[in-house]
Amino acid sequence: HRTKDGHYVRSRAEVIIDDTLYDYQLVHAYEKKVPIEEDLYTDFYLPNGKVYIEFWGLEKDPKYQKRKKIKQELYKKYELKLIELTDEDILNLDDHLPKKLLRYGIKVY
């Protein structure tokens, strides 16, 4: 799937997130390696504020749940700023994402 700013992403939900970040005029990277010892890639990274965004899409997949837990523990271990999004958030992203960004001092309106 291709986004407004030319990123190629894996899902329709990630298109929505990427396009929303673009519409908010927030510089962002997709699938960026997190600068820690472990091998971890974030879905989205906002250099302004050093905020990581993870979209948890396969909530019913046990293997995915295990990986999600590992990733959450790594974000916590390194005290990284993390915004977590679910399918429910995607349904009304314009309501949810600005509030989550504001927690890290990022205003979009």
Side-chain angles (χ1 to χ4, degrees):
H1 304 281
R2 189 163 186 194
T3 65
K4 289 179 182 178
D5 61 2
H7 289 137
Y8 284 96
V9 297
R10 298 178 197 275
S11 69
R12 183 75 189 117
E14 288 182 341
V15 169
I16 294 167
I17 296 165
D18 196 284
D19 286 349
T20 300
L21 293 172
Y22 177 79
D23 291 343
Y24 291 163
Q25 299 179 350
L26 293 175
V27 174
H28 59 282
Y30 176 70
E31 296 242 318
K32 180 173 173 48
K33 183 166 183 355
V34 179
I36 59 174
E37 196 173 306
E38 294 84 352
D39 199 23
L40 176 66
Y41 287 82
T42 188
D43 290 336
F44 298 94
Y45 174 69
L46 308 177
N48 179 15
K50 296 181 180 166
V51 175
Y52 298 87
I53 299 174
E54 287 288 348
F55 169 66
W56 308 120
L58 301 172
E59 292 292 333
K60 292 179 174 76
D61 181 334
K63 201 165 112 180
Y64 184 87
Q65 283 297 335
K66 186 177 177 187
R67 180 72 183 133
K68 173 183 174 181
K69 189 168 179 52
I70 290 167
K71 287 179 93 171
Q72 287 173 320
E73 287 169 3
L74 287 172
Y75 282 111
K76 191 172 191 162
K77 174 182 174 181
Y78 291 98
E79 298 178 356
L80 300 170
K81 299 173 188 173
L82 175 63
I83 290 174
E84 299 180 83
L85 299 172
T86 63
D87 282 329
E88 200 168 296
D89 293 318
I90 299 303
L91 295 175
N92 209 345
L93 198 58
D94 265 343
D95 277 349
H96 297 285
L97 188 54
K99 290 174 191 167
K100 292 178 186 234
L101 289 166
L102 198 54
R103 289 183 202 149
Y104 297 114
I106 299 171
K107 295 178 184 173
V108 294
Y109 295 117

